Amino acid sequence: MPHKLTNLQRPVPSDIEIAQAVKPLPITKIAEEVGLLPEELELYGNSKAKVKLSVRDRLADRPDGKYILVTAITPTPLGEGKTTTTVGLSQALGAFLGQKVITCIRQPSQGPTFGIKGGAAGGGYSQIIPMEDFNLHLTGDIHAITAANNLLAAAIDARMFHESTQSDEALFNRLCPPAKDGSRSFAPVMLKRLEKLGIDKTNPDDLTPEEAARFARLDIDPDSITWRRVVDTNDRFLREIEIGLGPKEKGHSRRTGYDITVASEIMAILALTTSLADMRERLGNMVIGTSRAGEPITADDLGVGGALTVLMKDAIMPNLMQTLEGTPAFVHAGPFANIAHGNSSIVADQIALKLVGPDGFVLTEAGFGADIGMEKFFDIKCRYSGLIPNVVVLVATIRALKMHGGGPKVVAGKPLDSAYTDENLGLLEAGCSNLKVHIKNAKRFGIPVVVAVNRFKDDTDAEVALVRKIAKEAGAEDAVMSNHWADGGAGAVALGEAVMAAANKPSDFKFLYPLGMGIKEKIETIVKEIYGGAGVEFLPEAEKKIELYNRVGFDKLPMCMAKTHLSLSHDPNLKGAPTGFTVPVRDIRASVGAGFLYPLLGEMSTMPGLPTRPVFYDVDLDLETGKVLGLF
């Protein structure tokens, strides 16, 4: 059963001290209380388990629970506490308000954990536990993505190498070697390529020399390759590398690089897939580049789609954990919120909604501000899941609103200026322009909005009251101060009550754009309607990609805008609610397996670097107790 925390410490200790002071309930107990059967679990020790997708089939006829999306205003570089709010709200609903509730959040990358950010399991008295497991390895999903991503990368370079040294006939004969009895056959994945080529034959011996050549020779254009290797560590020196420098690969070198694992398209697929069969299809459809003739080359063309699925077969199952106050949580997938769509998995949300039933609540969180995570949640995730939320919870902080009102620059690791620690109603009111845009955007999708003012110690009652007043005038159903970081679920009871009330309000959900709209028109709609921009400038590389995607049929995919999270615009220096700006689109990339195009509205780093003094300096192991020290 969910349980209220007692003995809250003052001052509030470090996150890891709080997390380690609470003994997790056996995960079998959490599973039993939420309605999971023992055979639907795969246990990973006593405090975490994977949940089989079969539970969704068992409960198919049960109506879904209420679906709550937690998002935020445009944040400072410090973040405004979305995950902490999500967890605190879960604890309030489950431990204090007697509701059936499940929280669904992303799994963090090891990169930021050891880099500058530290742990990402919530914070204070609103956390997922065990926080060490949450932040380090968990059940190995990110490692599975690393393995699958790099298998595909190896397949690309090996194929180009072999094609460069063999005739069409030799290539075909090696791809379809005779068995001991002399017969030959195609591997199942090869039949997909034959179908794509329009060759209606299933016996290798029946192909004409011309058909055999078309089948065997992918003729990948090295300059078109977009697939990079990945590693889940902040390693800036791998951003640009040269491969193929060994003596046996002489003459086959090329420039490429590494991304951090969570930026892999396979991570985005894990978050957007709806079944094992769907995942197999998506992995096979991933486009790694084009042939010299301009035709897209997929993972299935390389013959590796099935093997990728085998590596990912366990990762598709959501991970069950718990909050400090014993409410259940699914931790699953962790795609980048700028390059990808920044939401946890569809399958976790679907399973959770069935488990809580029509009277329960499922909380899910979207990355960064509502202009990024919420828009992508609605226009990408909801399209593929068929799920529609009942309420948007918009997290705001006095600190961020003052920054948007013209306050001094906020820099991670540096002390806050007095403008943020002293009462300043004028600065705060000016910054509420940003809050008003996000409320308007959520309402544009037809969903009721509740604003959660995530309270920090220096916020005054007058400042909180001003934000509440402005939020309600802008159309929010309610605006509530929440003090869950310091008080756990007890500090979010008012927020929980506001969310429960809003969940019963009528909604009129609509997508921002139809998929049949042109690529340029979709991008322009997002820029004008969500960001408040005046228009879009498409640079030459973007124009070239639009022409390619229209030709090969990728134009019906939704857009996943890759832009800064620090402004409603493409320019991180434009705070508040800027208008009149023109957004430059420098390139558009295709994540065909994941199911979206991502226009680049600036330079996006897909491999963070370590700072001079990384968090790993503080991380160690207590050799007597086995406890992890200094994680956050």
Side-chain angles (χ1 to χ4, degrees):
M1 287 288 292
H3 49 85
K4 300 173 184 179
L5 286 174
T6 56
N7 301 324
L8 301 178
Q9 301 295 305
R10 297 291 186 267
V12 177
S14 71
D15 288 351
I16 196 163
E17 287 177 282
I18 292 171
Q20 291 178 344
V22 177
K23 183 173 173 58
L25 297 168
I27 203 66
T28 50
K29 182 80 173 156
I30 298 285
E32 181 186 346
E33 285 171 0
V34 85
L36 287 163
L37 304 176
E39 60 267 27
E40 291 167 341
L41 292 184
E42 285 195 5
L43 296 175
Y44 282 70
N46 295 322
S47 55
K48 55 190 186 290
K50 279 198 164 291
V51 175
K52 296 178 182 177
L53 270 54
S54 58
V55 63
R56 199 177 48 178
D57 302 326
R58 175 171 66 86
L59 300 175
D61 295 334
R62 179 185 288 181
D64 287 346
K66 296 282 196 290
Y67 195 29
I68 314 299
L69 173 67
V70 181
T71 183
I73 63 168
T74 304
T76 68
L78 307 176
E80 307 320 305
K82 272 195 316 297
T83 305
T84 307
T85 303
T86 305
V87 176
L89 176 56
S90 170
Q91 293 178 163
L93 289 168
F96 289 83
L97 294 169
Q99 303 300 306
K100 206 163 186 186
V101 61
I102 297 177
T103 308
C104 296
I105 58 176
R106 288 182 293 169
Q107 179 186 352
S109 164
Q110 172 182 288
T113 297
F114 288 129
I116 195 167
K117 188 176 177 182
Y125 285 103
S126 293
Q127 294 189 59
I128 305 292
I129 54 172
M131 73 98 80
E132 308 94 313
D133 294 15
F134 181 98
N135 286 292
L136 303 170
H137 307 298
L138 196 53
T139 58
D141 295 349
I142 292 179
H143 300 316
I145 293 164
T146 303
N149 184 101
N150 292 344
L151 176 61
L152 178 53
I156 294 165
D157 289 298
R159 184 58 170 262
M160 290 195 297
F161 173 77
H162 291 305
E163 285 192 20
S164 71
T165 57
Q166 297 176 43
S167 66
D168 292 344
E169 185 182 6
L171 199 58
F172 182 74
N173 287 336
R174 283 195 168 93
L175 287 169
C176 303
K180 287 181 179 176
D181 63 359
S183 66
R184 298 205 295 176
S185 63
F186 289 115
V189 71
M190 292 177 171
L191 300 176
K192 287 176 172 277
R193 174 155 176 80
L194 290 168
E195 184 183 352
K196 175 180 170 179
L197 296 172
I199 300 172
D200 188 20
K201 295 177 182 177
T202 55
N203 185 342
D205 293 329
D206 293 343
L207 268 63
T208 66
E210 187 269 337
E211 288 171 337
R214 283 177 62 217
F215 164 81
R217 194 164 294 282
L218 301 182
D219 196 27
I220 298 169
D221 178 359
D223 294 334
S224 76
I225 297 171
T226 54
W227 198 263
R228 289 154 60 92
R229 288 157 174 83
V230 298
V231 64
D232 196 39
T233 304
N234 289 0
D235 194 345
R236 68 174 73 239
F237 283 91
L238 291 177
R239 287 171 179 164
E240 292 292 329
I241 62 169
E242 190 171 359
I243 60 171
L245 300 180
K248 292 188 177 177
E249 290 72 45
K250 199 170 180 182
H252 298 280
S253 64
R254 67 180 182 90
R255 289 183 70 85
T256 180
Y258 273 75
D259 296 331
I260 197 159
T261 299
V262 290
S264 170
E265 183 178 350
I266 297 177
M267 175 61 91
I269 286 174
L270 179 64
L272 286 169
T273 193
T274 52
S275 67
L276 203 53
D278 176 68
M279 184 170 72
R280 169 65 185 88
E281 191 72 14
R282 287 173 181 269
L283 291 171
N285 288 342
M286 291 188 300
V287 172
I288 59 90
T290 63
S291 67
R292 286 188 171 86
E295 294 303 313
I297 303 294
T298 68
D300 271 345
D301 287 328
L302 285 154
V304 76
L308 302 183
T309 310
V310 169
L311 287 170
M312 292 292 295
K313 69 179 175 61
D314 293 331
I316 196 174
M317 294 185 282
N319 305 294
L320 180 65
M321 298 185 76
Q322 64 191 282
T323 67
L324 285 170
E325 295 186 289
T327 60
F330 280 134
V331 180
H332 199 214
F336 258 35
N338 47 11
I339 296 293
H341 66 298
N343 286 264
S344 60
S345 77
I346 285 174
V347 291
D349 289 0
Q350 289 175 332
I351 291 171
L353 286 163
K354 292 300 179 192
L355 286 169
V356 300
D359 299 323
F361 293 83
V362 170
L363 311 176
T364 194
E365 177 196 335
F368 290 146
D371 54 309
I372 302 182
M374 181 189 74
E375 186 273 316
K376 294 175 181 179
F377 176 89
F378 286 135
D379 283 320
I380 299 173
K381 185 175 179 181
C382 289
R383 284 188 202 269
Y384 289 123
S385 71
L387 301 173
I388 298 168
N390 298 86
V391 181
V392 167
V393 175
L394 186 64
V395 179
T397 61
I398 306 292
R399 173 183 71 192
L401 291 169
K402 285 180 175 178
M403 180 192 71
H404 287 296
K409 190 172 184 179
V410 175
V411 180
K414 292 191 177 176
L416 282 173
D417 188 274
S418 61
Y420 299 107
T421 53
D422 298 340
E423 183 171 285
N424 190 327
L425 297 178
L427 196 62
L428 178 60
E429 185 165 9
C432 281
S433 60
N434 185 270
L435 173 66
K436 289 191 271 192
V437 170
H438 289 298
I439 293 171
K440 182 186 74 174
N441 285 344
K443 288 174 68 68
R444 178 177 274 114
F445 285 98
I447 306 298
V449 186
V450 172
V451 172
V453 183
N454 183 17
R455 186 157 203 169
F456 287 14
K457 64 180 176 60
D458 295 315
D459 300 343
T460 69
D461 290 343
E463 287 175 330
V464 173
L466 178 61
V467 175
R468 290 195 65 199
K469 173 176 172 288
I470 291 172
K472 286 184 173 181
E473 288 171 354
E477 299 295 328
D478 206 344
V480 181
M481 189 279 291
S482 192
N483 198 26
H484 45 273
W485 179 80
D487 293 338
V493 169
L495 176 60
E497 290 170 340
V499 167
M500 288 170 67
N504 290 315
K505 295 277 177 71
S507 60
D508 179 27
F509 178 72
K510 47 195 170 293
F511 294 116
L512 186 64
Y513 55 80
L515 291 181
M517 187 184 270
I519 293 173
K520 283 188 176 180
E521 289 74 21
K522 285 181 223 176
I523 294 169
E524 286 165 353
T525 298
I526 296 169
V527 167
K528 291 175 182 176
E529 296 292 317
I530 301 297
Y531 308 160
V536 182
E537 177 192 6
F538 294 93
L539 301 181
E541 186 60 33
E543 292 279 12
K544 197 167 85 176
K545 292 292 179 60
I546 290 169
E547 185 185 344
L548 170 66
Y549 300 152
N550 283 334
R551 178 171 61 79
V552 298
F554 297 164
D555 55 312
K556 299 298 185 284
L557 294 171
M559 295 299 122
C560 188
M561 307 289 268
K563 80 171 188 79
T564 178
H565 61 291
L566 297 173
S567 170
L568 277 163
S569 75
H570 64 289
D571 181 352
N573 298 310
L574 296 179
K575 303 302 183 186
T579 57
F581 55 90
T582 299
V583 170
V585 176
R586 66 179 181 86
D587 194 4
I588 305 175
R589 307 262 172 89
S591 288
V592 180
F596 54 72
L597 303 180
Y598 61 101
L600 299 177
L601 315 188
E603 292 295 328
M604 290 293 128
S605 174
T606 51
M607 172 56 83
L610 289 171
T612 307
R613 204 246 185 236
V615 172
F616 64 61
Y617 272 89
D618 303 312
V619 178
D620 213 325
L621 197 66
D622 184 319
L623 299 178
E624 290 185 12
T625 64
K627 279 188 175 181
V628 174
L629 306 173
L631 198 56
F632 199 48

